[in-house]
Amino acid sequence: SLLIDPHHTHAPPCCAYGSHCFMLYVTLRRGLAGKSKTYLATLFALGLRKPRQVVEVPNDAGIRGQIEKVKHLVSVETAPARELRLTALALKLALRPPLVIKH
């Protein structure tokens, strides 16, 4: 985690999470077959080539514009939201404690 000076006026509020909060995680949810060349070019520019592939991209205006163009093919989440989702999934899939039967 990155330590941020609380008196630094240019730091956005999400900096409490560290520098990774400036990243977006983009997942390709649909296949590429039959998609137009402009969608394919945008997805390749984002680094997405296979369904269910996840890439980490910076959260800036250019990337958000690319995501907006292919929003029906991808899902997007921030780093804190992804960590929360993965933690909840790990808890759900965790092994249960062994069943102890006393006779």
Side-chain angles (χ1 to χ4, degrees):
S1 174
L2 183 67
L3 297 177
I4 300 294
D5 181 16
H7 303 293
H8 186 66
T9 58
H10 299 292
C14 71
C15 283
Y17 293 105
S19 63
H20 66 280
C21 67
F22 297 110
M23 303 305 281
L24 295 174
Y25 289 90
V26 183
T27 305
L28 182 59
R29 291 290 177 197
R30 312 286 264 157
L32 300 179
K35 303 301 183 275
S36 71
K37 289 182 181 181
T38 57
Y39 291 154
L40 292 176
T42 303
L43 291 170
F44 286 156
L46 286 170
L48 294 168
R49 285 157 177 68
K50 298 178 182 180
R52 294 175 302 280
Q53 180 183 5
V54 180
V55 294
E56 185 179 8
V57 294
N59 186 5
D60 61 14
I63 296 296
R64 286 194 305 267
Q66 290 177 343
I67 292 170
E68 182 67 26
K69 186 173 181 180
V70 293
K71 66 184 174 184
H72 58 289
L73 301 173
V74 299
S75 66
V76 182
E77 58 188 350
T78 60
R82 177 181 167 85
E83 289 174 12
L84 187 64
R85 180 182 61 83
L86 292 178
T87 303
L89 181 64
L91 287 174
K92 179 181 177 183
L93 298 177
L95 295 176
R96 289 187 244 169
L99 187 62
V100 178
I101 301 174
K102 296 182 180 180
H103 293 275

